[in-house]
């Protein structure tokens, strides 16, 4: 049975007209529901014209150690038809009520391998658009618990003003450089897919879709391999991918021929190296 609770929108940061960060707190006060990094939160709103509640799930961008709010990174769906719930959210103001359900979802970090041994392999995250959200949660969570695992976050967007959390993720990488990789090992890179468009004229960073970080030519090392200083194998790296189906497919086109398998197609011994979550 679905159990709805009431929350309030406590904070809205508009990144552009159709992209924003929202924070939600329990209406009755107190701490937010428990959750794990990578899980999603379902929001709901009553649509008067339809006389029913519409619910949608969104990946959580805040980390579980933050107990006073849950943060989401949301795009306003406007084509081919306006999204009913996102239209409510982008028309809302701080203090407005919303319905939410307890966070859930399997897109979480594996701490152990199937054989019970600790999983200390490098974590590589590839997010397209708002598919970055769970990886912001991963990074904040692993930082908060003092994890020593190497973490690499790649984010792909069409335009520079869609590179959410860029400053925060850059600071996490700078901290890694300052403190040393033995204490906090984190890398972040962003890429723009429409680099030729006028709006992106000042962008001097990586260009192409997010899966381009995995691609290599003529036997050379990929951008990822150059960053970490070794060949990527199933024994040293696990992948998390989130975004539109095209992003998932683009990454799988590179990883599958190299012998990496997904959790959904795990081997007989239950081993796998890829988890993904598609938005469509």
């Amino acid at each position: 049975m679905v159990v709805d609770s009431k929350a309030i929108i406590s904070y809205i940061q508009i990144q552009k007209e159709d992209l924003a960060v929202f924070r939600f707190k329990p209406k009755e006060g107190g701490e937010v529901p428990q959750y794990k990094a990578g899980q999603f939160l379902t929001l709901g709103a009553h649509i008067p014209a339809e006389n029913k509640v519409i619910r949608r799930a969104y990946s959580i961008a805040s980390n579980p150690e933050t107990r006073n709010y849950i943060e989401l990174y949301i795009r306003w769906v406007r084509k081919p038809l306006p999204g009913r719930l996102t239209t409510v959210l982008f028309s809302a103001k701080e203090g407005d009520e919303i319905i939410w359900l307890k966070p859930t979802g399997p897109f979480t970090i594996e701490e152990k391998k199937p054989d019970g041994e600790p999983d200390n392999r490098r974590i590589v995250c590839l997010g397209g658009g708002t598919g970055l959200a769970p990886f912001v949660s991963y990074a904040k969570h692993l930082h908060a618990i003092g994890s020593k695992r190497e973490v690499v976050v790649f984010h792909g967007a069409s335009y520079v003003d869609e590179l959410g959390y860029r400053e925060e993720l850059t600071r996490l990488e700078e901290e890694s450089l300052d403190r040393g990789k033995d204490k906090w090992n984190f890398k972040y890179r962003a890429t723009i897919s429409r680099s030729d468009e006028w709006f992106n004229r000042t962008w001097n960073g990586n260009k192409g879709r997010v899966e381009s970080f995995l691609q290599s030519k003529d036997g050379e090392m990929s951008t990822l391999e150059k960053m970490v200083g070794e060949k990527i194998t199933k024994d040293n790296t696990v992948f998390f991918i989130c975004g539109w189906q095209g992003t998932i497919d683009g990454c799988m086109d590179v990883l599958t021929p190299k012998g990496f398998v997904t959790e959904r197609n795990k081997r007989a011994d239950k081993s796998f190296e890829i988890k993904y979550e598609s938005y469509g």
Side-chain angles (χ1 to χ4, degrees), residues 20-37:
V21 171
F22 293 83
R23 290 178 182 174
F24 304 87
K25 294 183 176 181
K27 181 182 179 182
E28 65 276 10
E31 294 188 339
V32 300
Q34 295 284 346
Y35 63 93
K36 294 181 180 180

Side-chain angles (χ1 to χ4, degrees), residues 44-79:
H46 182 261
I47 309 299
E50 301 179 47
N51 194 30
K52 65 179 180 180
V53 173
I54 298 299
R55 297 181 177 88
R56 295 291 183 269
Y58 302 96
S59 294
I60 298 172
S62 51
N63 57 307
E65 293 73 25
T66 300
R67 303 301 306 133
N68 56 337
Y69 63 81
I70 288 180
E71 184 169 292
L72 305 180
Y73 185 41
I74 299 175
R75 181 179 294 280
W76 181 9
V77 178
R78 294 189 291 178
K79 296 179 181 180

Side-chain angles (χ1 to χ4, degrees), residues 228-276:
V228 302
E230 66 176 353
K231 182 178 180 180
I232 296 298
T233 72
K234 63 184 181 64
D235 296 317
N236 62 27
T237 304
V238 292
F239 290 90
F240 294 83
I241 312 165
C242 186
W244 293 107
Q245 189 60 47
T247 298
I248 310 299
D249 293 342
C251 293
M252 294 303 300
D253 286 345
V254 179
L255 297 174
T256 300
K258 296 182 178 180
F260 291 87
V261 303
T262 69
E263 182 186 27
R264 305 181 191 194
N265 298 298
K266 62 186 66 170
R267 303 180 184 88
D269 64 1
K270 298 184 179 180
S271 64
F272 63 92
E273 299 80 38
I274 304 170
K275 273 190 171 185
Y276 67 86

Side-chain angles (χ1 to χ4, degrees), residues 6 24 31 53 102 121 136 141 147 175 180 194 212 220 247 266 276 280:
K6 292 290 183 65
F24 304 87
E31 294 188 339
V53 173
K102 183 178 179 181
R121 291 175 293 180
V136 175
H141 166 64
S147 174
E175 180 181 338
R194 299 182 180 180
S212 64
E220 295 183 357
T247 298
K266 62 186 66 170
Y276 67 86

Side-chain angles (χ1 to χ4, degrees), residues 12 24 29 50 67 77 95 123 127 151 157 168 203 221:
I12 303 174
F24 304 87
E50 301 179 47
R67 303 301 306 133
V77 178
I123 295 172
V151 183
E168 187 167 0
W203 177 252
M221 297 179 77

Side-chain angles (χ1 to χ4, degrees), residues 111-130:
E111 297 179 357
K112 293 183 179 181
K113 298 178 181 179
D115 61 7
E117 290 293 318
D119 194 344
N120 296 314
R121 291 175 293 180
R122 172 187 301 113
I123 295 172
V124 175
C125 306
L126 297 113
T130 55

Side-chain angles (χ1 to χ4, degrees), residues 4-217:
D4 289 327
S5 298
K6 292 290 183 65
I8 60 168
I9 302 173
S10 61
Y11 173 83
I12 303 174
Q13 180 189 54
I14 301 297
Q15 186 169 329
K16 57 186 299 186
E17 63 180 2
D18 61 350
L19 194 61
V21 171
F22 293 83
R23 290 178 182 174
F24 304 87
K25 294 183 176 181
K27 181 182 179 182
E28 65 276 10
E31 294 188 339
V32 300
Q34 295 284 346
Y35 63 93
K36 294 181 180 180
Q39 293 191 309
F40 61 82
L41 178 70
T42 298
L43 299 179
H46 182 261
I47 309 299
E50 301 179 47
N51 194 30
K52 65 179 180 180
V53 173
I54 298 299
R55 297 181 177 88
R56 295 291 183 269
Y58 302 96
S59 294
I60 298 172
S62 51
N63 57 307
E65 293 73 25
T66 300
R67 303 301 306 133
N68 56 337
Y69 63 81
I70 288 180
E71 184 169 292
L72 305 180
Y73 185 41
I74 299 175
R75 181 179 294 280
W76 181 9
V77 178
R78 294 189 291 178
K79 296 179 181 180
L81 295 173
R84 290 171 290 179
L85 187 56
T86 53
T87 297
V88 169
L89 289 170
F90 277 80
S91 302
K93 61 184 183 298
E94 294 175 3
D96 284 356
E97 287 187 12
I98 197 82
I99 297 169
W100 67 356
L101 303 180
K102 183 178 179 181
T104 187
F107 196 58
T108 54
I109 298 169
E110 303 294 329
E111 297 179 357
K112 293 183 179 181
K113 298 178 181 179
D115 61 7
E117 290 293 318
D119 194 344
N120 296 314
R121 291 175 293 180
R122 172 187 301 113
I123 295 172
V124 175
C125 306
L126 297 113
T130 55
L132 176 69
F135 307 139
V136 175
S137 183
Y138 286 2
K140 292 179 179 179
H141 166 64
L142 292 169
H143 180 266
I145 65 174
S147 174
K148 300 299 190 293
R149 292 180 75 172
E150 182 178 6
V151 183
V152 181
V153 173
F154 292 130
H155 184 209
S158 297
Y159 301 98
V160 293
D161 60 352
E162 296 174 344
L163 294 177
Y165 296 95
R166 185 180 172 195
E167 291 185 6
E168 187 167 0
L169 294 171
T170 298
R171 284 197 299 269
L172 286 175
E173 180 170 17
E174 291 173 345
E175 180 181 338
S176 177
L177 294 171
D178 292 341
R179 293 177 58 193
K181 296 179 181 179
D182 59 322
K183 297 181 177 65
W184 169 239
N185 195 348
F186 181 83
K187 298 177 181 66
Y188 160 71
R189 296 290 184 277
T191 185
I192 294 298
S193 61
R194 299 182 180 180
S195 57
D196 294 334
E197 294 197 19
W198 183 86
F199 189 83
N200 292 325
R201 67 194 183 282
T202 61
W203 177 252
N204 294 316
N206 296 284
K207 299 174 181 179
R209 293 173 59 85
V210 72
E211 59 265 29
S212 64
F213 288 111
L214 307 179
Q215 296 167 345
S216 58
K217 295 182 179 179

